[in-house]
Protein backbone atom coordinates (compact mmCIF):
# COMPACT_ATOMS: atom_id res chain seq x y z
CA UNK A 1 0.00 0.00 0.00
CA UNK A 2 2.75 2.43 0.97
CA UNK A 3 5.00 1.76 -2.02
CA UNK A 4 2.11 2.26 -4.43
CA UNK A 5 2.15 5.87 -3.24
CA UNK A 6 5.93 6.27 -2.83
CA UNK A 7 7.70 3.38 -4.65
CA UNK A 8 11.11 3.93 -3.07
CA UNK A 9 9.84 4.55 0.44
CA UNK A 10 12.60 3.37 2.83
CA UNK A 11 11.54 0.13 4.56
CA UNK A 12 13.51 -0.39 7.76
CA UNK A 13 14.27 -4.04 8.57
CA UNK A 14 15.76 -4.63 12.01
CA UNK A 15 18.16 -7.54 11.75
CA UNK A 16 18.37 -8.48 15.41
CA UNK A 17 20.63 -11.45 14.74
CA UNK A 18 17.96 -13.69 16.30
CA UNK A 19 15.57 -14.03 13.34
CA UNK A 20 14.23 -17.34 12.03
CA UNK A 21 15.90 -18.43 8.80
CA UNK A 22 12.39 -18.39 7.26
CA UNK A 23 12.07 -14.69 8.10
CA UNK A 24 15.36 -13.80 6.43
CA UNK A 25 14.41 -15.77 3.30
CA UNK A 26 10.94 -14.16 3.23
CA UNK A 27 12.51 -10.71 3.57
CA UNK A 28 14.84 -11.44 0.66
CA UNK A 29 12.03 -12.81 -1.52
CA UNK A 30 9.64 -9.88 -1.15
CA UNK A 31 12.45 -7.33 -1.34
CA UNK A 32 13.43 -8.73 -4.72
CA UNK A 33 9.94 -9.35 -6.10
CA UNK A 34 8.55 -5.99 -5.06
CA UNK A 35 11.74 -3.98 -5.57
CA UNK A 36 11.59 -2.68 -2.01
CA UNK A 37 14.05 -0.09 -0.79
CA UNK A 38 14.99 -2.07 2.31
CA UNK A 39 17.48 -0.63 4.77
CA UNK A 40 18.92 -3.24 7.15
CA UNK A 41 19.49 -2.08 10.71
CA UNK A 42 21.83 -3.74 13.16
CA UNK A 43 22.90 -3.02 16.72
CA UNK A 44 25.78 -0.66 17.32
CA UNK A 45 29.04 -2.57 16.91
CA UNK A 46 30.33 -1.63 20.37
CA UNK A 47 27.68 -4.00 21.79
CA UNK A 48 28.80 -6.99 19.69
CA UNK A 49 31.09 -8.62 22.20
CA UNK A 50 28.61 -8.13 25.08
CA UNK A 51 25.76 -9.65 23.03
CA UNK A 52 27.88 -12.54 21.75
CA UNK A 53 29.03 -13.41 25.25
CA UNK A 54 25.42 -13.39 26.48
CA UNK A 55 23.74 -14.58 23.29
CA UNK A 56 21.71 -17.42 24.82
CA UNK A 57 20.87 -15.80 28.17
CA UNK A 58 19.99 -12.29 26.97
CA UNK A 59 16.58 -12.93 25.31
CA UNK A 60 15.54 -15.25 28.14
CA UNK A 61 16.80 -13.44 31.21
CA UNK A 62 16.42 -9.83 30.12
CA UNK A 63 14.29 -9.51 26.98
CA UNK A 64 13.82 -5.78 27.56
CA UNK A 65 17.56 -5.19 27.50
CA UNK A 66 17.91 -7.49 24.47
CA UNK A 67 15.15 -5.63 22.59
CA UNK A 68 16.66 -2.31 23.55
CA UNK A 69 20.10 -3.16 22.16
CA UNK A 70 18.94 -5.05 19.09
CA UNK A 71 15.77 -3.21 18.05
CA UNK A 72 15.13 0.06 19.82
CA UNK A 73 18.57 1.65 19.65
CA UNK A 74 19.16 0.72 15.98
CA UNK A 75 15.77 2.26 15.09
CA UNK A 76 16.50 5.39 17.09
CA UNK A 77 19.79 5.75 15.23
CA UNK A 78 18.23 5.06 11.82
CA UNK A 79 15.42 7.56 12.32
CA UNK A 80 17.72 10.45 13.14
CA UNK A 81 17.20 12.87 10.27
CA UNK A 82 13.63 11.73 9.58
CA UNK A 83 10.57 13.66 10.75
CA UNK A 84 8.16 10.72 10.85
CA UNK A 85 7.87 6.96 10.65
CA UNK A 86 4.99 4.63 9.78
CA UNK A 87 4.09 1.59 11.86
CA UNK A 88 1.63 -1.19 11.00
CA UNK A 89 0.28 -1.75 14.52
CA UNK A 90 -3.44 -2.48 15.05
CA UNK A 91 -5.62 -1.75 18.07
CA UNK A 92 -6.79 -5.37 18.27
CA UNK A 93 -3.24 -6.67 18.84
CA UNK A 94 -2.30 -5.62 22.42
CA UNK A 95 -3.55 -3.46 25.29
CA UNK A 96 -0.83 -0.88 24.59
CA UNK A 97 -1.81 -0.68 20.92
CA UNK A 98 -5.52 -0.39 21.83
CA UNK A 99 -4.69 3.01 23.38
CA UNK A 100 -2.63 4.26 20.42
CA UNK A 101 -3.57 7.20 18.19
CA UNK A 102 -3.25 7.58 14.42
CA UNK A 103 -0.72 10.39 14.86
CA UNK A 104 1.56 10.42 17.89
CA UNK A 105 4.19 13.03 18.58
CA UNK A 106 6.98 11.25 20.44
CA UNK A 107 9.05 12.81 23.22
CA UNK A 108 12.03 12.86 20.87
CA UNK A 109 10.08 15.02 18.36
CA UNK A 110 9.43 12.25 15.80
CA UNK A 111 5.91 11.80 14.47
CA UNK A 112 4.69 8.20 14.58
CA UNK A 113 1.95 7.39 12.06
CA UNK A 114 -0.27 4.33 12.61
CA UNK A 115 -2.55 4.13 9.55
CA UNK A 116 -3.80 0.57 10.21
CA UNK A 117 -4.88 1.12 13.82
CA UNK A 118 -8.56 0.36 13.18
CA UNK A 119 -7.94 -2.63 10.95
CA UNK A 120 -8.70 -6.04 12.46
CA UNK A 121 -6.96 -9.33 11.91
CA UNK A 122 -9.82 -10.25 9.56
CA UNK A 123 -9.26 -7.06 7.54
CA UNK A 124 -5.60 -8.00 7.07
CA UNK A 125 -6.47 -11.55 6.00
CA UNK A 126 -9.04 -10.24 3.54
CA UNK A 127 -6.57 -7.74 2.07
CA UNK A 128 -3.92 -10.46 1.66
CA UNK A 129 -6.40 -12.68 -0.14
CA UNK A 130 -7.84 -9.94 -2.37
CA UNK A 131 -4.36 -8.81 -3.48
CA UNK A 132 -2.80 -12.27 -3.63
CA UNK A 133 -0.03 -11.30 -1.21
CA UNK A 134 2.39 -13.86 0.25
CA UNK A 135 2.25 -14.71 3.96
CA UNK A 136 5.21 -15.41 6.22
CA UNK A 137 6.06 -19.14 5.71
CA UNK A 138 5.82 -19.87 9.44
CA UNK A 139 2.23 -18.64 9.58
CA UNK A 140 0.82 -21.93 8.28
CA UNK A 141 2.85 -23.79 10.93
CA UNK A 142 0.99 -22.09 13.78
CA UNK A 143 3.18 -19.00 14.26
CA UNK A 144 0.49 -16.30 14.06
CA UNK A 145 2.80 -13.45 15.07
CA UNK A 146 6.45 -13.89 14.19
CA UNK A 147 9.26 -12.20 16.07
CA UNK A 148 12.76 -13.42 16.92
CA UNK A 149 13.33 -17.19 17.18
CA UNK A 150 14.15 -17.33 20.94
CA UNK A 151 10.99 -15.35 21.75
CA UNK A 152 8.35 -16.87 19.45
CA UNK A 153 6.40 -20.12 19.70
CA UNK A 154 3.59 -21.66 17.66
CA UNK A 155 0.12 -21.33 19.20
CA UNK A 156 -3.33 -22.84 18.88
CA UNK A 157 -6.05 -21.54 16.58
CA UNK A 158 -8.08 -20.18 19.50
CA UNK A 159 -5.18 -18.46 21.25
CA UNK A 160 -4.67 -14.70 21.23
CA UNK A 161 -2.77 -13.69 18.08
CA UNK A 162 0.29 -12.58 20.07
CA UNK A 163 0.23 -15.33 22.74
CA UNK A 164 3.32 -16.88 21.18
CA UNK A 165 5.50 -13.79 21.73
CA UNK A 166 7.72 -13.78 24.87
CA UNK A 167 5.42 -16.46 26.33
CA UNK A 168 5.96 -16.87 30.10
CA UNK A 169 8.48 -14.02 30.34
CA UNK A 170 6.22 -11.24 31.57
CA UNK A 171 6.85 -9.17 28.46
CA UNK A 172 3.89 -8.45 26.23
CA UNK A 173 4.85 -5.51 24.04
CA UNK A 174 7.67 -4.80 21.63
CA UNK A 175 9.94 -1.99 22.84
CA UNK A 176 9.38 -0.10 19.59
CA UNK A 177 5.82 0.69 20.69
CA UNK A 178 6.52 1.71 24.29
CA UNK A 179 8.04 4.75 25.99
CA UNK A 180 11.38 2.92 25.75
CA UNK A 181 11.50 3.89 22.09
CA UNK A 182 9.92 7.33 22.05
CA UNK A 183 12.38 8.81 24.53
CA UNK A 184 15.70 10.16 23.38
CA UNK A 185 18.49 7.62 22.96
CA UNK A 186 19.60 7.04 26.55
CA UNK A 187 22.93 5.38 25.97
CA UNK A 188 25.88 5.84 23.71
CA UNK A 189 28.33 3.74 25.68
CA UNK A 190 28.19 0.55 27.70
CA UNK A 191 29.20 2.39 30.89
CA UNK A 192 26.40 4.91 30.55
CA UNK A 193 24.02 2.10 29.72
CA UNK A 194 24.83 0.18 32.87
CA UNK A 195 24.18 3.31 34.89
CA UNK A 196 20.88 3.85 33.11
CA UNK A 197 19.59 0.30 32.99
CA UNK A 198 16.67 1.06 35.29
CA UNK A 199 15.28 3.41 32.64
CA UNK A 200 15.08 0.56 30.16
CA UNK A 201 12.98 -1.73 32.36
S1 LIG B 1 12.43 -10.28 20.41
FE1 LIG B 1 13.72 -11.57 21.76
S2 LIG B 1 15.63 -12.03 20.65
FE2 LIG B 1 14.53 -10.35 19.56
S3 LIG B 1 15.49 -8.52 20.30
FE3 LIG B 1 13.68 -8.87 21.60
S4 LIG B 1 14.35 -10.16 23.34
FE4 LIG B 1 15.98 -10.16 21.77
Amino acid sequence: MATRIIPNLPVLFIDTGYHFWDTLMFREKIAEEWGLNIIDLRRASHWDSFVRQNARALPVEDPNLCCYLNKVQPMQTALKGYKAWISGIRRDQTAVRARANFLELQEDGLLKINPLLNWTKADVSRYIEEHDLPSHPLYEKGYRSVGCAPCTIAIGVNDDERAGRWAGRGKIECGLHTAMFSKKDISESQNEFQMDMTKVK
Side-chain angles (χ1 to χ4, degrees), residues 76 85 104-112 178-186:
Q76 287 174 325
W85 67 292
E104 297 181 338
L105 189 58
Q106 300 180 177
E107 274 186 45
D108 57 5
L110 263 178
L111 183 65
K112 181 181 182 187
T178 66
M180 182 199 289
F181 177 73
S182 61
K183 292 183 190 312
K184 288 192 170 78
D185 191 351
I186 63 172

Side-chain angles (χ1 to χ4, degrees), residues 16 18 59 63 66-67 70-71 148 150-151 166:
T16 61
Y18 286 106
C66 187
C67 276
N70 291 305
K71 288 183 179 176
C148 294
C151 305
W166 302 287

Side-chain angles (χ1 to χ4, degrees), residues 89-156:
I89 60 169
R90 307 189 324 264
R91 285 202 170 108
D92 69 351
Q93 288 175 313
T94 69
V96 169
R97 298 176 193 196
R99 297 191 298 271
N101 295 306
F102 288 103
L103 298 176
E104 297 181 338
L105 189 58
Q106 300 180 177
E107 274 186 45
D108 57 5
L110 263 178
L111 183 65
K112 181 181 182 187
I113 306 169
N114 303 310
L116 298 183
L117 264 193
N118 279 349
W119 278 43
T120 63
K121 178 68 192 155
D123 292 329
V124 175
S125 300
R126 189 164 44 246
Y127 191 87
I128 287 174
E129 201 176 318
E130 283 173 5
H131 294 82
D132 196 22
L133 300 176
S135 290
H136 192 293
L138 288 178
Y139 192 80
E140 61 188 27
K141 295 180 181 171
Y143 293 80
R144 305 219 335 269
S145 170
V146 182
C148 294
C151 305
T152 307
I153 57 172
I155 54 175

Side-chain angles (χ1 to χ4, degrees), residues 31-79:
E32 189 180 321
E33 289 180 2
W34 297 351
L36 296 179
N37 175 20
I38 292 195
I39 298 172
D40 289 300
L41 311 182
R42 296 193 178 86
R43 67 173 172 264
S45 58
H46 59 264
W47 290 109
D48 284 351
S49 103
F50 171 78
V51 173
R52 279 195 200 114
Q53 281 166 20
N54 298 280
R56 273 184 300 164
L58 197 53
V60 178
E61 292 179 13
D62 199 339
N64 281 330
L65 175 58
C66 187
C67 276
Y68 181 75
L69 299 182
N70 291 305
K71 288 183 179 176
V72 172
Q73 209 177 37
M75 270 291 267
Q76 287 174 325
T77 303
L79 288 173

